[in-house]
Amino acid sequence: MKKNQLLVILTIIAVALIAIVFVLLNQEETTVDRGNHVSIEGQPTLGDRDAKVSVVEFGDYKCPSCKQWGESIYPQLKADYLDKEDVSFSYINVLFHGQESILASLASESVYEQDPESFWAFHKALYDAQPASQQHDDVWVTVEKLKEIASETTSVDLAQFEQDLGEESTVLENVSTDDGLVSENGVQFTPSIMINGVMLEDPFDYEQIQQLIEQDL
Ligand code: CA
């Protein structure tokens, strides 16, 4: 009898230990996933930088899908989460469309340096200025256009702004930081949306966006 009781107790202890190890291993896995957060230091960010959930868009002002994402998904995200605490939203430049992407990125970084409060107004106005998608290969990001948008939406020094679009730019480093983050995070297409280190397969899948946010809130 005593032997049997001992066996039962030992079995219970063994099962409990296995369960504990299982839970610990799973926790470790979760921690590893969450450790892959992209750094949002120096990036325009809506909300608290230390929010529990960080949503990051890798976007390109020349990309029609980014404009579409900004018009269809972003307003839902803002209404559901960004107006509350605990969720932040950051934007990182991607340079997939050549010279115009670089020019638009330099412009946005110059605005963010000079007048960070106006960044999101400039950002939206720049996407609004993107022509209908069938004409997106036409050149539309020009120094003149950028100056016009900056003068309408920000209070930047326009001479400094124009300098930042050229060879004497003071924000080139910010653009190359973004480019580095794009490579590091294996961004393949725009927009790419990352939520607490998890890259979405389909940035237009709002249900998955909600699911990823809710699970970390
Ligand atoms: Ca940036």
Side-chain angles (χ1 to χ4, degrees):
M1 272 300 269
K2 277 194 174 173
K3 223 180 187 180
N4 278 349
Q5 276 177 339
L6 189 65
L7 266 179
V8 168
I9 291 168
L10 284 177
T11 307
I12 290 170
I13 291 173
V15 168
L17 281 176
I18 290 169
I20 289 169
V21 168
F22 186 73
V23 167
L24 285 178
L25 280 178
N26 273 351
Q27 268 179 358
E28 201 172 14
E29 242 172 53
T30 313
T31 314
V32 169
D33 276 349
R34 289 173 58 87
N36 290 336
H37 287 202
V38 56
S39 167
I40 55 168
E41 198 189 332
Q43 303 297 352
T45 298
L46 272 178
D48 183 358
R49 285 177 185 275
D50 298 320
K52 272 190 209 162
V53 180
S54 154
V55 180
V56 176
E57 176 186 359
F58 291 89
D60 185 332
Y61 292 105
K62 270 290 280 182
C63 142
S65 299
C66 299
K67 179 185 170 83
Q68 203 190 332
W69 192 89
E71 289 168 1
S72 58
I73 303 295
Y74 178 78
Q76 299 180 60
L77 179 71
K78 184 158 194 322
D80 290 346
Y81 299 105
L82 302 182
D83 291 336
K84 298 170 196 145
E85 286 174 13
D86 296 333
V87 183
S88 67
F89 179 78
S90 308
Y91 185 84
I92 295 175
N93 288 299
V94 180
L95 311 171
F96 285 171
H97 289 87
Q99 194 53 40
E100 280 176 277
S101 297
I102 296 171
L103 205 54
S105 300
L106 288 169
S108 76
E109 296 290 353
S110 180
V111 168
Y112 188 59
E113 280 291 322
Q114 291 196 60
D115 182 13
E117 294 291 309
S118 300
F119 174 83
W120 297 103
F122 177 82
H123 173 86
K124 184 177 183 304
L126 190 47
Y127 272 119
D128 286 346
Q130 185 189 116
S133 55
Q134 65 268 23
Q135 293 153 352
H136 85 274
D137 284 334
D138 296 349
V139 174
W140 64 273
V141 181
T142 61
V143 172
E144 281 315 305
K145 187 76 196 165
L146 293 168
K147 276 171 71 181
E148 182 191 312
I149 297 171
S151 69
E152 283 165 6
T153 56
T154 76
S155 52
V156 295
D157 178 312
L158 284 176
Q160 177 64 53
F161 180 77
E162 192 165 0
Q163 184 191 320
D164 283 340
L165 301 178
E167 282 177 12
E168 304 286 305
S169 179
T170 60
V171 293
L172 207 53
E173 206 180 307
N174 306 19
V175 174
S176 46
T177 297
D178 288 13
D179 197 36
L181 290 171
V182 166
S183 309
E184 268 171 44
N185 290 282
V187 173
Q188 305 279 342
F189 54 83
T190 50
S192 279
I193 304 297
M194 206 181 216
I195 299 174
N196 272 1
V198 177
M199 195 72 94
L200 261 78
E201 275 178 35
D202 175 6
F204 288 90
D205 183 352
Y206 191 66
E207 265 179 39
Q208 205 203 349
I209 292 177
Q210 283 185 301
Q211 198 189 330
L212 286 169
I213 291 175
E214 299 283 348
Q215 79 180 18
D216 285 346
L217 277 181

